[in-house]
Amino acid sequence: SAVISQKPSRDICQRGTSLTIQCQVDSQVTMMFWYRQQPGQSLTLIATANQGSEATYESGFVIDKFPISRPNLTFSTLTVSNMSPEDSSIYLCSVSGTEVISGNTIYFGEGSWLTVV
Amino acid sequence: DAKTTQPPSMDCAEGRAANLPCNHSTISGNEYVYWYRQIHSQGPQYIIHGLKNNETNEMASLIITEDRKSSTLILPHATLRDTAVYYCIVRVLAAGNKLTFGGGTRVLVKP
């Protein structure tokens, strides 16, 4: 299957600052998604990262808070802006539609653990 | 909105088969049943998916009822490493269609 790498894997951030999470895939993918998982909760989709255009955000998530870039078919970034303790979560990159995986199954990276203090 | 219902937790004995139920009574004709699991501190891991026929791979078997309103994921010989949260999700099979996660079943495999 495709290898999905996220950086950083873990970070502790000061409130009011911003952090950019990177997602790199070892093959071209059709779709890239960003999820959030708050402590003890299930996964919630933040947005679909669209190559060459603005991301498509889910209800409750806005571009000013979670700007997303996707400059090509193998890379995307998610920025968590003006962080507060409520943003402490695992942020997960996921992909589908790869050259090496058939059936449009969605695969996940290992996640980026953010703690805001 | 999640379209599946799963028990919040279950225990199973190491070495025995683990049968994880999922109800999806409002599933549409073009929606597949997907199973993922999330071991603590890791990203979700794809297990298996199916439309109406039973499916088997190296990880598990998926049994879907004839009316497709429910399914069962079977881990044939549970090990301690199978302890995880298991998510049952219905999804149209297309690249742009996302996964919507419910609460899942927290499975604890006991020695």
Side-chain angles (χ1 to χ4, degrees):
Chain A
S1 63
V3 176
I4 306 166
S5 302
Q6 284 188 234
K7 292 181 181 179
S9 58
R10 197 177 285 267
D11 207 343
I12 299 174
C13 306
Q14 297 294 319
R15 68 177 67 199
T17 64
S18 299
L19 182 76
T20 295
I21 302 166
Q22 298 180 0
C23 179
Q24 178 73 55
V25 191
D26 69 346
S27 60
Q28 294 185 344
V29 297
T30 305
M31 305 297 296
M32 297 183 80
F33 307 91
W34 286 98
Y35 285 81
R36 180 177 74 179
Q37 187 173 28
Q38 294 176 300
Q41 303 296 312
S42 186
L43 283 79
T44 301
L45 181 65
I46 298 172
T48 302
N50 300 309
Q51 194 247 336
S53 64
E54 191 172 289
T56 303
Y57 290 85
E58 298 297 307
S59 175
F61 297 95
V62 296
I63 188 171
D64 290 346
K65 177 66 176 177
F66 298 101
I68 289 171
S69 76
R70 190 180 172 192
N72 55 52
L73 294 177
T74 64
F75 185 78
S76 178
T77 66
L78 167 74
T79 298
V80 186
S81 302
N82 188 25
M83 286 185 284
S84 67
E86 292 70 33
D87 294 319
S88 297
S89 297
I90 306 171
Y91 292 86
L92 294 139
C93 171
S94 65
V95 306
S96 74
T98 76
E99 294 177 350
V100 297
I101 303 168
S102 63
N104 289 316
T105 298
I106 293 180
Y107 291 86
F108 287 81
E110 286 304 308
S112 298
W113 287 67
L114 264 56
T115 301
V116 184
V117 298
Chain B
D1 292 334
K3 299 181 181 180
T4 62
T5 303
Q6 299 176 252
S9 65
M10 63 182 292
D11 294 345
C12 64
E14 185 180 18
R16 305 293 294 271
N19 297 303
L20 282 62
C22 179
N23 287 323
H24 32 79
S25 59
T26 61
I27 192 170
S28 302
N30 62 346
E31 287 182 313
Y32 284 67
V33 180
Y34 281 79
W35 283 84
Y36 284 77
R37 72 180 183 183
Q38 187 175 26
I39 298 170
H40 183 62
S41 305
Q42 299 181 19
Q45 178 187 22
Y46 165 77
I47 301 173
I48 198 167
H49 74 279
L51 182 62
K52 55 183 179 180
N53 297 322
N54 297 338
E55 302 287 345
T56 296
N57 62 21
E58 65 278 5
M59 291 183 66
S61 295
L62 174 60
I63 309 299
I64 303 173
T65 59
E66 191 170 345
D67 63 8
R68 302 207 325 122
K69 292 184 177 182
S70 65
S71 60
T72 300
L73 179 75
I74 301 173
L75 306 177
H77 304 287
T79 70
L80 300 180
R81 289 176 294 180
D82 291 322
T83 292
V85 178
Y86 287 77
Y87 296 99
C88 169
I89 302 165
V90 296
R91 170 183 177 244
V92 174
L93 188 68
N97 286 286
K98 57 219 178 188
L99 293 169
T100 300
F101 286 79
T105 296
R106 188 172 297 275
V107 174
L108 176 61
V109 180
K110 296 182 174 180

